[in-house]
Amino acid sequence: MTRILKVYRAERFSPNSVERDRAIIDAAGDILTRHGYDVAGVRESELTENVDAEVFMSMARTRQALAILKGKEREGRIVINSTVGVERCQRSTIDRLMRANRIPAAPLEGCDGYWIKRGDEAAQSKDDVAFAQNDDDKRRILSRFEQRGVTDVVV
């Protein structure tokens, strides 16, 4: 019987959506269970290299969990929500690729203010997305991001 492991996303990556994210992966797991698959679950923080399955159905976002899942992919395991796909969904990567390929994106300069967002990972708190009304606000907000250790941002 094929063993499928659900990897739950760390709660910090699901502000205001912990229950919804859990419900999504659980619903998919329930369908697979009804079709005869052996489905279990593990929190992202509990994922180790020793955990094994033929298929990993993942909502993981931490660098540690993605590194473990990359290893599983190299071993020939199937990882749904591949690590490459997850890494390519970072805001800063999407912004860079859109601009490089001339896909319309918000202007880098403007007179109506700026949205400043964490670019390295999904928002983890309300402080990861901020509106700056002008260039002075923008500089202050960017400084606050940097003080928190967030240096990859999208404006």
Side-chain angles (χ1 to χ4, degrees):
M1 177 181 299
T2 301
R3 178 170 162 77
I4 299 173
L5 186 67
K6 301 178 294 186
V7 181
Y8 293 100
R9 180 177 296 150
E11 291 185 7
R12 69 183 172 124
F13 293 109
S14 296
N16 304 314
S17 297
V18 172
E19 292 81 18
R20 286 185 293 242
D21 283 349
R22 181 173 281 277
I24 290 167
I25 200 167
D26 282 343
D30 290 347
I31 291 168
L32 293 167
T33 299
R34 287 195 301 272
H35 282 77
Y37 294 95
D38 176 19
V39 180
V42 64
R43 284 191 214 120
E44 183 170 355
S45 61
E46 297 169 343
L47 183 66
T48 66
E49 293 171 0
N50 298 330
V51 174
D52 199 24
E54 288 82 17
V55 177
F56 292 82
M57 191 168 49
S58 173
M59 295 184 98
R61 294 293 180 268
T62 63
R63 286 182 175 89
Q64 178 183 357
L66 292 175
I68 291 167
L69 291 169
K70 277 184 187 180
K72 299 299 181 182
E73 288 171 323
R74 282 191 298 274
E75 293 172 6
R77 309 290 194 234
I78 296 169
V79 176
I80 299 171
N81 287 338
S82 75
T83 58
V84 171
V86 171
E87 291 170 340
R88 288 187 179 159
C89 286
Q90 291 181 334
R91 275 194 186 104
S92 58
T93 301
I94 292 169
D95 185 67
R96 180 181 46 77
L97 290 171
M98 287 177 66
R99 292 181 194 288
N101 290 285
R102 295 188 184 101
I103 297 170
L108 295 173
E109 298 291 329
C111 58
D112 295 321
Y114 306 91
W115 281 103
I116 302 170
K117 300 180 179 188
R118 180 182 197 125
D120 59 342
E121 298 176 345
Q124 299 172 40
S125 75
K126 64 179 183 170
D127 295 329
D128 287 341
V129 178
F131 181 75
Q133 292 186 8
N134 53 47
D135 287 338
D136 288 339
D137 279 351
K138 180 175 136 183
R139 282 189 288 278
R140 278 192 292 277
I141 291 168
L142 288 172
S143 176
R144 285 199 313 259
F145 271 72
E146 191 172 321
Q147 289 169 3
R148 293 176 36 231
V150 178
T151 57
D152 184 357
V153 298
V154 173
V155 178

